[in-house]
Amino acid sequence: MEAPFEDVTRGVLNAVREVEELAGRRILDGERIITPQTGDQGVDLYVSTSSAGGGLQMMVSGLVLQMTGESAQRAALGAGAIVMDVIALNDGRRPHEKIRRLRQLRPDMILLSGGTDGGDVRRVAEMAEIILAADPKARLGAGYRLPVIYAGNQAAAEVVTGTLGDRTALSVVANLRPSLEQENLGPARDAIHELFMEHVMAHAPGYKKLMTWSPVPIMPTPGAVGIIIEAIARRDRMSVVGVDIGGATTDVFSVFQGVFNRTVSANLGMSYSVSNVMAEAGIENILRWVPFAVDEIDLRNRVKNKMIRPTTIPQSLEDLVIEQAIAREALRLAFEQHKALAVGLKGIQSQRTISDIMSQTETGATRVDLLDLGLLVGSGGVLSHAPRRVQAALMMVDGFLPEGLTQLAVDSIFMAPQLGVLSTVHEPAATQVFERDCLVRLGTVLSPLGAGKAGQPCLSVEVLADQTPIQRRIPFGELALIPLPEQGRVRVIARPERGFDLGPGKGKPLEAQVNGGVVGLIVDTRGRRPFVLPTEPAERIRRLRAWNAALGLYAKEV
Amino acid sequence: MAHAYTPGLRVTDHAVIRRERRLPLKGDVLVAVGQPVEADTVVARTELPGNVQTVNLAAKLSLDPARVPDALTLPVGSAVRRGDLIAAGKSLFGLVHQRATSPADGTLESVSPVTGQLILREPPLPVEVDAYVRGVVAEVLPGEGVVVEASGALMQGIFGVGGETFGTLRLVAASPDEPLATAALTPAHQGCVVVGGSYVSHATLMRARELGVAAVVVGGFDDHDLRHLLGRDLGVAITGAEDLGFTLILTEGFGRIRMAERTWRLLAAHQGQQASVSGATQIRAGVMRPEIVIPRPPGAGREAAAAGAAGVEVGSLLRVIREPHFGRIARVIELPAELQALETEARVRVMAVEFAEDGTRAVVPRANVELIED
C-alpha cells in the first residue's frame, strides 16, 4: 500500500474489474460488489484476506518461556501473526530490558498469558506491570490504544484488568493453558482475529469500507492458509505439511495427529532475506547442493546482489542451480524451526513405564513424524515457478527429507488463503476447488529409512499401472524416477531389503494406492536417519550429477 | 509496463531535497521557518525517559506486598539519589527493622501492592537532532522537529553501511573503473567524503578509518570484506546504525563494478564542495537507499521540471543487474512482446540489448535491468 494506492479498496476494485473481463460477467455496480447474484450478474459471496502492512505483528508473553510462553506463541502463530518476541519471567532479561524491548518493537498487539487456572496471581501481575511500565505505542496511528489479550490464569484476570484496563484495549479470554496437561488455543486465536479486524485493520486506509463488503471476517493471509490445510487433513485423514517460501519469509503449516501448527521464519526467504539464509545455513551447506565448483567470494557477491535488487530472476542455468540450492537450505531451516515449535506440551507429569524410560521419550517431543506425513504441499515463487516441476519436487525432498511414502504437490497460484476463508462458509466447495484448480500433483516420493553402502541392494518397486506393470530394483545411494499417470491412482508395492524400513518395519513390504502426478514416483534410496552427502568435493559433484541426470532435473548437465 | 522495472536510482544535479528531522519523542524545536542551517546545526532537542529499574521491596523489607506502599519513606513521584532511603519496615513482630535504599539516581515511578515491586526511573538522556544538510528550515513540526530543504545534487546508492555524516567531496580514483588505492589516501582526506571508482578493499577502508575519512563512495565492494568489516554476516538489509567510524556507500553493488558514468561525472563536477551522506539502507516494503546530497548555495539554480516516470523503450539506456552480464551498460534494441525461454527454460519477457562498451548484443530478462537516466 503505497501512494497513490493508499486505499486498499482501489486494489480490490481493480482486481474485480479484471475478473469481470475474464469471466464476462458483471460483478460491480459502480464501486459496489453486486451480491447476492441474480441471473448473470453479481456473486454469492465476497471473501478477503489481508497481509497489508507486513502482516499482523505481535509480541507474546508468558510466565515460563518453555510452557505458557510457547503455548502463547503457538496461539499467535496459528492465528496468522508474526511473533516479534516472546517475553517471559524466566527469559534471562532484566525487567528494564524487557521494557525497552517492548518499546522498541512497537507491536500491533500483545498476547499476555501465564499461569494455570488457580495458580500464582503475583507473577502474572508482575508481567502486566512490565507492560504498563513500557506503555508501548501501536505501530499504526498514534491515537489508538494498543490491543492486549489476556489469556492466562483466570484468578488473575481482575488484577490484570486493574493494571491494564485503563491504558490498553484489553480483552480477557479463557486461559490458553488451563492446566499443565491442557492447551486451549481456540479462544485466544479467535480474540486475535477479532482484534485484528477491530483495531489493527480498522486503522489501515480503506479497510472499514472493505469490511462492509464481506459478510465473513477478513483474515490474516497465513491464518487462512492454515484453515484450508486443516480441512484437507481432516477430509483425507492424513498428516499434511504445507510450506510457502516467499521473498522475505517462509511459513510452514502442519497437521499431525489432528493438531494444527504454524510457524513463520521471518528472515528466511529467496530475495529480501536471501542473504540471511546464507548467514544462517552457512555457505558450505548451500554449496553441498551445487554440482560444480563455485568461488566463495563470487557466490557471496551474487547473493548480496540478489538481496539489494530483489526482483531479478536467474538467467543462466548455473544461477538457477545456485538459487535452488539456497531454496533447499531455506526450506530445511524453516522446517527445523517448525519441528522445534510443533511439539507436545512440556512440563507434564506423566506416568512412565519401563519401556518409556528405555525409549527416552520426553514431554515436549515434536509432533512432526515424517513417516506419518502423507502430503507435502509447496508454494511460493521458487517452487511454483520452477522451470521444471521435478525441480520443485526435489527441492522439497532435499529440504524436508520425507520418509516412507509421501505425496508431493505445489500450489501453483497461491489460492489457498482465499479458499481457507471460503472453507469457513462452505468447506466442500473450498476443498474441491483446492484439489482441482489450486493443487498441481507432482507425484509421490518413496524413501526408505536406513543407511548402507552405495550400490548395495536396497529396494524393489512394482508399479501396477493400467497395462504394463513396471518393476525396478534400486540399489542404495540413488535417485530414480518411475513415470506415473498424471491423473488417478495406481497401486505400488515396494519391498525393502533387510535393514531398510518404509514404515511397516525393517524388510517389510509396503503396498499402497498412490496419486499420479506430472513428475511421477521418485524413489530416493540416498538414506535417512542419517541422510549424508559425500564430503569429498569430486565425489559429491559426481553423485549430484548422477542424481540430477536420473531425474532429468535440468536441460543439460551443469 | 514501466512500473514492472526496478526503478532507477536517482542521480541528478537538480533536486529539491527535503529531509524530515524528527525527534524520537516530543521535545523542543530550536529553529524557525526560513532560518538557514548548516549540516551540524542542532534543530531539535529532547530528553529520553531513563531506563526503568524494578526494586523488589517486599523481599527487601520482608513484608507482605500489600503493606509495601505504606512502607515508602518518600511519596511516589519523588526524585532520589543513589543510596537514599526509600522504604523502611518492621517485621517479625516489630523486632527487625529493614531499610531499602535506591539503587540509582532517578524518580520513584510507581509501587505495586500486588507484587511489592517498586519501579524506579533513571534520569532522562538528552537527545539532539541536527540538520544533516545545509539548507533552510522549510517547516516546523511543533514539538517534534523540522523539515530542512536544500536544492542541489542528489545521488542514491544501492547499498550502504554507517549513519549520517558530511564532509568535503574529494575524488581519489582517476577514473570510474579504477579501484580506490590505499596509497592514494592521505592525511588531507581527514573529515572528507572520498570517492573511488570501481572497488574498495577492506585494507583500504581500514586506512581510510585510520585517517579519519568521513565517508567512502565507490562502485562495488566484496561481501566477504563486508563480513570482515561488520564482524558478522549481514542477514537482512537494514543498515545505518553501524558504528564503524565512517560511512560506506556502494553506488552499483557487490563485486568490482565500474561506477556509472553519470554518477562519476556528477561527483567530479562538485569536487571540493560539502556533501552530506547517509548509509542507511532498508530493502523491504518502504525501501530506503543510501544517498549523497550536495547542497547548492542559496539562489544558485532550481530543480528542472521533474521528468515523468518513463517506461523502457527502444533506445533506453540501462544497466544489467544480474549474471551473466551483471553491471554492464547497454541500450535497448528490441522489446519482443512474446515470452521467450531462457537457458533455465523459464519463459519470461525479455529484451534485446546492445552493450555500450563493445557493441555486442544479448537477450536479457526484463526483470534483470534497471533504467539509467540519460
Side-chain angles (χ1 to χ4, degrees):
Chain A
M1 284 202 299
E2 282 173 53
F5 307 110
E6 283 146 340
D7 179 343
V8 285
T9 59
R10 297 289 110 207
V12 173
L13 288 172
N14 278 346
V16 173
R17 274 186 208 112
E18 276 196 39
V19 174
E20 277 186 322
E21 279 171 31
L22 289 170
R25 183 184 182 89
R26 192 162 160 249
I27 301 174
L28 287 176
D29 175 13
E31 293 202 345
R32 192 184 66 85
I33 294 177
I34 305 168
T35 175
Q37 64 159 323
T38 48
D40 56 357
Q41 282 193 14
V43 293
D44 284 324
L45 184 68
Y46 166 76
V47 299
S48 199
T49 70
S50 165
S51 47
L56 169 60
Q57 308 190 354
M58 288 184 68
M59 284 183 81
V60 304
S61 80
L63 293 189
V64 180
L65 196 58
Q66 299 79 3
M67 291 163 67
T68 41
E70 220 173 83
S71 292
Q73 201 179 350
R74 277 194 283 268
L77 287 164
I82 289 171
V83 174
M84 307 165 86
D85 200 353
V86 184
I87 289 191
L89 281 181
N90 72 332
D91 66 10
R93 288 177 283 195
R94 292 191 298 157
H96 77 266
E97 292 170 315
K98 290 174 190 159
I99 289 168
R100 195 186 307 153
R101 186 84 179 137
L102 274 158
R103 279 203 190 139
Q104 270 171 358
L105 290 181
R106 303 207 306 166
D108 294 328
M109 202 185 288
I110 295 177
L111 172 61
L112 171 63
S113 73
T116 51
D117 281 345
D120 186 14
V121 170
R122 206 161 51 168
R123 295 163 67 80
V124 179
E126 221 173 287
M127 290 302 298
E129 280 164 19
I130 286 177
I131 293 176
L132 182 71
D135 190 18
K137 297 279 180 284
R139 188 168 56 118
L140 306 164
Y144 93 104
R145 290 189 301 167
L146 183 77
V148 175
I149 297 164
Y150 176 65
N153 179 2
Q154 295 300 290
E158 204 177 310
V159 177
V160 171
T161 308
T163 311
L164 295 174
D166 295 341
R167 301 280 290 274
T168 64
L170 179 74
S171 358
V172 177
V173 299
N175 194 349
L176 53 77
R177 196 77 184 262
S179 67
L180 281 181
E181 296 77 15
Q182 223 187 331
E183 196 171 65
N184 178 28
L185 304 181
R189 269 186 205 166
D190 292 345
I192 292 169
H193 282 161
E194 210 170 287
L195 289 179
F196 178 64
M197 291 279 293
E198 258 177 48
H199 291 266
V200 184
M201 303 248 304
H203 287 81
Y207 270 101
K208 278 200 179 126
K209 191 160 39 156
L210 187 66
M211 277 151 69
T212 64
W213 292 1
S214 174
V216 189
I218 300 169
M219 250 184 244
T221 303
V225 177
I227 287 174
I228 188 80
I229 298 259
E230 266 185 299
I232 295 294
R234 206 162 41 229
R235 190 196 65 181
D236 296 347
R237 289 191 205 88
M238 62 158 86
S239 298
V240 180
V241 167
V243 61
D244 175 26
I245 176 166
T249 63
T250 298
D251 280 31
V252 180
F253 308 85
S254 75
V255 181
F256 282 95
Q257 301 126 42
V259 177
F260 168 68
N261 270 291
R262 163 179 176 254
T263 48
V264 186
S265 299
N267 289 323
L268 296 174
M270 293 306 298
S271 59
Y272 298 102
S273 304
V274 67
S275 172
N276 195 55
V277 176
M278 186 171 74
E280 281 195 26
I283 207 154
E284 56 296 336
N285 273 324
I286 291 170
L287 289 177
R288 71 192 172 128
W289 302 109
V290 179
F292 47 84
V294 181
D295 174 52
E296 187 186 320
I297 289 180
D298 177 51
L299 177 67
R300 285 182 162 278
N301 288 342
R302 277 185 195 223
V303 168
K304 279 289 187 304
N305 282 325
K306 167 82 180 182
M307 174 189 79
I308 56 178
R309 293 180 168 100
T311 55
T312 61
I313 57 172
Q315 180 175 5
S316 68
L317 197 51
E318 279 195 0
D319 226 13
L320 179 76
V321 170
I322 291 173
E323 192 149 304
Q324 294 186 344
I326 296 170
R328 284 169 166 84
E329 286 302 304
L331 293 172
R332 178 180 68 82
L333 292 170
F335 195 43
E336 268 176 22
Q337 291 181 3
H338 185 78
K339 283 190 272 194
L341 194 76
V343 294
L345 301 183
K346 289 175 185 163
I348 301 172
Q349 297 274 345
S350 59
Q351 287 208 329
R352 303 182 74 182
T353 64
I354 292 288
S355 68
D356 286 336
I357 292 166
M358 298 301 282
S359 65
Q360 290 289 312
T361 51
E362 315 169 37
T363 59
T366 184
R367 289 186 191 279
V368 174
D369 175 4
L370 285 164
L371 259 184
D372 185 47
L373 175 61
L375 172 66
L376 175 56
V377 186
S379 79
V382 71
L383 296 174
S384 302
H385 299 145
R388 292 188 176 192
R389 294 285 190 201
V390 65
Q391 293 163 0
L394 194 60
M395 278 185 266
M396 288 200 277
V397 169
D398 288 344
F400 287 83
L401 297 173
E403 299 168 353
L405 192 74
T406 314
Q407 298 172 43
L408 302 172
V410 288
D411 168 0
S412 57
I413 46 177
F414 203 53
M415 200 174 15
Q418 290 69 38
L419 294 175
V421 184
L422 180 60
S423 76
T424 62
V425 186
H426 198 308
E427 187 169 320
T431 53
Q432 225 171 58
V433 176
F434 186 68
E435 190 65 43
R436 293 213 185 133
D437 300 318
C438 186
L439 272 198
V440 176
R441 294 227 173 240
L442 301 177
T444 300
V445 59
L446 197 55
S447 337
L449 298 185
K453 283 196 178 128
Q456 134 188 10
C458 177
L459 191 67
S460 70
V461 181
E462 204 174 330
V463 177
L464 305 166
D466 289 345
Q467 287 98 17
T468 43
I470 303 170
Q471 275 200 321
R472 289 275 297 273
R473 282 178 181 283
I474 295 116
F476 184 81
E478 296 202 358
L479 277 177
L481 182 63
I482 303 173
L484 295 177
E486 283 191 24
Q487 304 290 331
R489 289 159 77 84
V490 292
R491 225 155 75 90
V492 170
I493 306 168
R495 297 183 182 85
E497 296 292 323
R498 272 178 31 184
F500 294 99
D501 183 1
L502 285 165
K506 283 186 178 172
K508 295 202 173 135
L510 174 79
E511 204 174 324
Q513 291 279 344
V514 306
N515 277 303
V518 293
V519 171
L521 177 68
I522 297 174
V523 185
D524 179 0
T525 60
R526 296 175 299 173
R528 292 288 190 276
R529 306 190 202 177
F531 167 87
V532 189
L533 287 171
T535 46
E536 199 276 310
E539 173 62 8
R540 182 181 53 79
I541 287 175
R542 192 185 68 74
R543 297 285 284 279
L544 287 174
R545 285 186 173 158
W547 295 334
N548 292 353
L551 295 195
L553 208 59
Y554 301 110
K556 61 177 189 193
E557 186 171 277
V558 278
Chain B
M1 279 304 292
H3 56 275
Y5 293 94
T6 312
L9 301 170
R10 282 194 80 187
V11 176
T12 172
D13 201 13
H14 301 282
V16 173
I17 302 125
R18 289 169 66 91
R19 291 291 172 266
E20 202 174 83
R21 312 299 297 160
R22 203 188 270 262
L23 291 165
L25 286 177
K26 290 252 180 191
D28 302 320
V29 175
L30 309 176
V31 289
V33 171
Q35 186 177 330
V37 285
E38 288 298 314
D40 58 356
T41 305
V42 174
V43 294
R45 181 181 291 135
T46 190
E47 293 184 326
L48 279 184
N51 278 334
V52 164
Q53 289 211 18
T54 52
V55 186
N56 191 343
L57 289 181
K60 277 195 188 299
L61 304 177
S62 307
L63 282 182
D64 185 75
R67 293 178 54 205
V68 166
D70 294 333
L72 287 187
T73 54
L74 296 166
V76 166
S78 306
V80 291
R81 315 268 323 175
R82 183 191 164 99
D84 283 358
L85 178 71
I86 49 175
K90 290 179 194 165
S91 59
L92 217 69
F93 312 110
L95 295 175
V96 180
H97 291 258
Q98 307 272 18
R99 294 155 61 86
T101 55
S102 175
D105 293 357
T107 314
L108 304 184
E109 182 152 301
S110 66
V111 65
S112 165
V114 180
T115 60
Q117 299 266 11
L118 170 86
I119 292 182
L120 175 79
R121 194 173 290 277
E122 292 179 13
L125 307 161
V127 178
E128 291 179 344
V129 174
D130 64 21
Y132 169 54
V133 250
R134 175 188 292 160
V136 289
V137 177
E139 202 181 316
V140 167
L141 312 165
E144 293 186 60
V146 298
V147 176
V148 175
E149 188 177 298
S151 60
L154 170 69
M155 280 151 276
Q156 287 182 313
I158 190 87
F159 178 82
V161 283
E164 294 171 350
T165 182
F166 63 93
T168 309
L169 197 64
R170 294 276 171 230
L171 257 69
V172 175
S175 75
D177 48 12
E178 185 182 285
L180 181 61
T182 311
L185 293 172
T186 69
H189 292 124
Q190 185 185 6
C192 290
V193 174
V194 161
V195 180
S198 59
Y199 178 78
V200 66
S201 68
H202 185 260
T204 308
L205 274 185
M206 289 304 98
R207 176 69 181 146
R209 173 151 76 187
E210 228 173 83
L211 292 170
V213 166
V216 174
V217 181
V218 287
F221 182 57
D222 280 330
D223 177 50
H224 183 264
D225 287 346
L226 180 67
R227 185 184 181 195
H228 209 132
L229 185 67
L230 300 178
R232 64 185 167 93
D233 252 329
L234 180 75
V236 179
I238 295 181
T239 68
E242 300 75 19
D243 190 10
L244 303 172
F246 62 92
T247 295
L248 172 66
I249 293 182
L250 310 183
T251 59
E252 318 302 317
F254 287 88
R256 280 168 196 262
I257 317 163
R258 177 193 167 97
M259 185 179 285
E261 192 65 40
R262 186 182 164 81
T263 314
W264 175 263
R265 278 203 313 262
L266 203 52
L267 289 166
H270 292 284
Q271 168 123 250
Q273 296 177 17
Q274 191 191 80
S276 294
V277 299
S278 164
T281 310
Q282 290 193 10
I283 302 169
R284 46 186 55 239
V287 67
M288 186 192 276
R289 298 286 187 186
E291 64 179 11
I292 303 145
V293 177
I294 306 160
R296 216 177 286 279
R302 304 208 45 85
E303 176 163 35
V312 167
E313 47 198 41
V314 170
S316 297
L317 189 65
L318 47 80
R319 183 210 319 270
V320 184
I321 52 174
R322 183 124 185 189
E323 284 79 12
H325 304 291
F326 184 85
R328 298 181 74 184
I329 308 291
R331 266 189 203 282
V332 180
I333 51 174
E334 200 191 337
L335 288 163
E338 320 77 57
L339 302 182
Q340 280 191 25
L342 305 175
E343 189 193 33
T344 60
E345 299 180 293
R347 295 182 59 80
V348 298
R349 299 195 73 179
V350 298
M351 61 172 65
V353 299
E354 186 175 284
F355 294 111
E357 59 199 7
D358 57 8
T360 55
R361 294 181 171 193
V363 170
V364 293
R366 293 195 191 185
N368 290 1
V369 300
E370 70 190 10
L371 275 174
I372 297 179
E373 292 174 58
D374 255 320

